[in-house]
Short mmCIF file of all heavy atoms in Angstrom, two decimals:
data_model
loop_
_atom_site.label_atom_id
_atom_site.label_comp_id
_atom_site.label_asym_id
_atom_site.label_seq_id
_atom_site.Cartn_x
_atom_site.Cartn_y
_atom_site.Cartn_z
N SER D 475 -54.66 -22.69 -30.47
CA SER D 475 -53.81 -23.34 -31.46
C SER D 475 -53.92 -22.67 -32.82
O SER D 475 -52.92 -22.45 -33.51
CB SER D 475 -54.17 -24.83 -31.56
OG SER D 475 -53.32 -25.48 -32.47
N GLU D 476 -55.13 -22.33 -33.22
CA GLU D 476 -55.34 -21.69 -34.52
C GLU D 476 -54.68 -20.31 -34.56
O GLU D 476 -54.02 -19.95 -35.55
CB GLU D 476 -56.85 -21.56 -34.81
CG GLU D 476 -57.52 -22.85 -35.23
CD GLU D 476 -56.98 -23.37 -36.56
OE1 GLU D 476 -56.75 -22.55 -37.48
OE2 GLU D 476 -56.76 -24.58 -36.67
N ILE D 477 -54.87 -19.56 -33.50
CA ILE D 477 -54.27 -18.22 -33.44
C ILE D 477 -52.74 -18.31 -33.49
O ILE D 477 -52.08 -17.60 -34.25
CB ILE D 477 -54.74 -17.48 -32.17
CG1 ILE D 477 -56.23 -17.15 -32.27
CG2 ILE D 477 -53.92 -16.21 -31.94
CD1 ILE D 477 -56.82 -16.58 -30.99
N ALA D 478 -52.17 -19.20 -32.65
CA ALA D 478 -50.71 -19.33 -32.59
C ALA D 478 -50.15 -19.88 -33.90
O ALA D 478 -49.05 -19.50 -34.31
CB ALA D 478 -50.32 -20.24 -31.43
N ALA D 479 -50.89 -20.77 -34.57
CA ALA D 479 -50.43 -21.32 -35.84
C ALA D 479 -50.36 -20.24 -36.91
O ALA D 479 -49.42 -20.22 -37.73
CB ALA D 479 -51.35 -22.46 -36.28
N ILE D 480 -51.33 -19.34 -36.93
CA ILE D 480 -51.28 -18.23 -37.88
C ILE D 480 -50.12 -17.29 -37.52
O ILE D 480 -49.37 -16.84 -38.39
CB ILE D 480 -52.62 -17.46 -37.87
CG1 ILE D 480 -53.77 -18.37 -38.30
CG2 ILE D 480 -52.53 -16.24 -38.79
CD1 ILE D 480 -55.14 -17.72 -38.15
N TYR D 481 -49.97 -17.04 -36.25
CA TYR D 481 -48.92 -16.13 -35.75
C TYR D 481 -47.53 -16.62 -36.15
O TYR D 481 -46.71 -15.85 -36.65
CB TYR D 481 -49.07 -16.05 -34.23
CG TYR D 481 -48.12 -15.14 -33.50
CD1 TYR D 481 -48.33 -13.77 -33.46
CD2 TYR D 481 -47.03 -15.66 -32.80
CE1 TYR D 481 -47.48 -12.93 -32.76
CE2 TYR D 481 -46.16 -14.83 -32.09
CZ TYR D 481 -46.39 -13.47 -32.08
OH TYR D 481 -45.55 -12.64 -31.38
N TRP D 482 -47.28 -17.94 -35.96
CA TRP D 482 -45.95 -18.51 -36.19
C TRP D 482 -45.83 -19.29 -37.50
O TRP D 482 -44.83 -19.97 -37.71
CB TRP D 482 -45.56 -19.42 -35.02
CG TRP D 482 -45.02 -18.70 -33.83
CD1 TRP D 482 -44.10 -17.70 -33.81
CD2 TRP D 482 -45.34 -18.96 -32.46
NE1 TRP D 482 -43.82 -17.31 -32.53
CE2 TRP D 482 -44.57 -18.07 -31.67
CE3 TRP D 482 -46.19 -19.85 -31.81
CZ2 TRP D 482 -44.64 -18.05 -30.27
CZ3 TRP D 482 -46.25 -19.84 -30.43
CH2 TRP D 482 -45.48 -18.95 -29.66
N ASP D 483 -46.84 -19.25 -38.35
CA ASP D 483 -46.79 -19.93 -39.64
C ASP D 483 -46.61 -21.45 -39.48
O ASP D 483 -45.79 -22.08 -40.15
CB ASP D 483 -45.65 -19.36 -40.50
CG ASP D 483 -45.72 -19.87 -41.94
OD1 ASP D 483 -46.84 -20.10 -42.44
OD2 ASP D 483 -44.65 -20.04 -42.56
N VAL D 484 -47.40 -22.05 -38.59
CA VAL D 484 -47.34 -23.50 -38.39
C VAL D 484 -48.33 -24.16 -39.35
O VAL D 484 -49.54 -23.94 -39.25
CB VAL D 484 -47.68 -23.88 -36.92
CG1 VAL D 484 -47.60 -25.39 -36.73
CG2 VAL D 484 -46.73 -23.16 -35.97
N GLN D 485 -47.82 -24.98 -40.28
CA GLN D 485 -48.63 -25.56 -41.34
C GLN D 485 -48.70 -27.07 -41.23
O GLN D 485 -47.81 -27.71 -40.66
CB GLN D 485 -48.06 -25.16 -42.71
CG GLN D 485 -47.97 -23.65 -42.93
CD GLN D 485 -47.34 -23.31 -44.26
OE1 GLN D 485 -47.34 -24.11 -45.19
NE2 GLN D 485 -46.80 -22.10 -44.36
N GLU D 486 -49.74 -27.64 -41.82
CA GLU D 486 -49.96 -29.09 -41.72
C GLU D 486 -48.80 -29.88 -42.32
O GLU D 486 -48.39 -30.91 -41.79
CB GLU D 486 -51.26 -29.46 -42.42
CG GLU D 486 -51.60 -30.96 -42.31
CD GLU D 486 -52.93 -31.30 -42.97
OE1 GLU D 486 -53.64 -30.37 -43.40
OE2 GLU D 486 -53.25 -32.50 -43.05
N HIS D 487 -48.29 -29.42 -43.43
CA HIS D 487 -47.20 -30.14 -44.10
C HIS D 487 -45.84 -29.46 -43.89
O HIS D 487 -44.89 -29.72 -44.63
CB HIS D 487 -47.50 -30.27 -45.60
CG HIS D 487 -48.75 -31.04 -45.89
ND1 HIS D 487 -48.87 -32.38 -45.61
CD2 HIS D 487 -49.94 -30.64 -46.39
CE1 HIS D 487 -50.09 -32.79 -45.95
NE2 HIS D 487 -50.76 -31.75 -46.43
N GLY D 488 -45.75 -28.63 -42.88
CA GLY D 488 -44.50 -27.97 -42.56
C GLY D 488 -44.32 -26.67 -43.33
O GLY D 488 -44.98 -26.43 -44.33
N ASN D 489 -43.43 -25.81 -42.84
CA ASN D 489 -43.23 -24.50 -43.47
C ASN D 489 -41.82 -24.32 -44.04
O ASN D 489 -41.40 -23.21 -44.35
CB ASN D 489 -43.56 -23.37 -42.49
CG ASN D 489 -42.63 -23.35 -41.27
OD1 ASN D 489 -41.63 -24.05 -41.22
ND2 ASN D 489 -42.98 -22.52 -40.29
N VAL D 490 -41.09 -25.44 -44.18
CA VAL D 490 -39.75 -25.37 -44.77
C VAL D 490 -39.85 -25.62 -46.26
O VAL D 490 -40.34 -26.67 -46.69
CB VAL D 490 -38.79 -26.39 -44.12
CG1 VAL D 490 -37.41 -26.31 -44.78
CG2 VAL D 490 -38.69 -26.15 -42.62
N GLY D 491 -39.40 -24.67 -47.07
CA GLY D 491 -39.48 -24.81 -48.52
C GLY D 491 -38.67 -25.99 -49.03
O GLY D 491 -37.61 -26.32 -48.50
N ARG D 492 -39.18 -26.63 -50.06
CA ARG D 492 -38.54 -27.82 -50.62
C ARG D 492 -37.10 -27.54 -51.05
O ARG D 492 -36.22 -28.39 -50.91
CB ARG D 492 -39.36 -28.31 -51.82
CG ARG D 492 -38.78 -29.53 -52.52
CD ARG D 492 -38.85 -30.76 -51.66
NE ARG D 492 -38.31 -31.93 -52.33
CZ ARG D 492 -38.12 -33.11 -51.76
NH1 ARG D 492 -38.45 -33.28 -50.48
NH2 ARG D 492 -37.61 -34.12 -52.43
N GLU D 493 -36.86 -26.35 -51.55
CA GLU D 493 -35.52 -26.03 -52.03
C GLU D 493 -34.49 -25.98 -50.91
O GLU D 493 -33.28 -26.09 -51.15
CB GLU D 493 -35.52 -24.69 -52.78
CG GLU D 493 -35.82 -23.46 -51.95
CD GLU D 493 -37.31 -23.15 -51.86
OE1 GLU D 493 -38.14 -24.09 -51.94
OE2 GLU D 493 -37.65 -21.96 -51.71
N TYR D 494 -34.97 -25.86 -49.67
CA TYR D 494 -34.07 -25.85 -48.52
C TYR D 494 -34.05 -27.19 -47.79
O TYR D 494 -33.40 -27.31 -46.75
CB TYR D 494 -34.47 -24.74 -47.55
CG TYR D 494 -34.44 -23.37 -48.19
CD1 TYR D 494 -35.62 -22.68 -48.48
CD2 TYR D 494 -33.24 -22.77 -48.52
CE1 TYR D 494 -35.59 -21.43 -49.08
CE2 TYR D 494 -33.20 -21.52 -49.12
CZ TYR D 494 -34.38 -20.86 -49.41
OH TYR D 494 -34.34 -19.62 -50.01
N ASP D 495 -34.73 -28.16 -48.35
CA ASP D 495 -34.81 -29.47 -47.70
C ASP D 495 -34.76 -30.59 -48.74
O ASP D 495 -35.68 -31.39 -48.86
CB ASP D 495 -36.10 -29.56 -46.87
CG ASP D 495 -36.14 -30.80 -45.99
OD1 ASP D 495 -35.06 -31.29 -45.62
OD2 ASP D 495 -37.26 -31.26 -45.68
N PRO D 496 -33.68 -30.69 -49.50
CA PRO D 496 -33.61 -31.66 -50.60
C PRO D 496 -33.64 -33.11 -50.14
O PRO D 496 -34.01 -34.00 -50.92
CB PRO D 496 -32.29 -31.31 -51.29
CG PRO D 496 -31.47 -30.65 -50.23
CD PRO D 496 -32.45 -29.89 -49.40
N HIS D 497 -33.26 -33.36 -48.88
CA HIS D 497 -33.21 -34.73 -48.38
C HIS D 497 -34.34 -35.04 -47.39
O HIS D 497 -34.25 -36.00 -46.62
CB HIS D 497 -31.85 -35.00 -47.73
CG HIS D 497 -30.69 -34.73 -48.63
ND1 HIS D 497 -30.46 -35.43 -49.79
CD2 HIS D 497 -29.70 -33.79 -48.55
CE1 HIS D 497 -29.36 -34.96 -50.39
NE2 HIS D 497 -28.90 -33.96 -49.65
N ASP D 498 -35.38 -34.21 -47.41
CA ASP D 498 -36.55 -34.41 -46.52
C ASP D 498 -36.16 -34.44 -45.05
O ASP D 498 -36.79 -35.11 -44.23
CB ASP D 498 -37.28 -35.71 -46.88
CG ASP D 498 -37.94 -35.63 -48.25
OD1 ASP D 498 -38.27 -34.51 -48.67
OD2 ASP D 498 -38.11 -36.68 -48.89
#
Side-chain angles (χ1 to χ4, degrees):
S475 182
E476 284 296 319
I477 291 173
I480 298 173
Y481 182 79
W482 278 315
D483 190 33
V484 181
Q485 302 177 23
E486 183 178 353
H487 299 294
N489 64 9
V490 179
R492 178 68 180 173
E493 66 271 29
Y494 301 108
D495 189 27
H497 305 296
D498 293 333

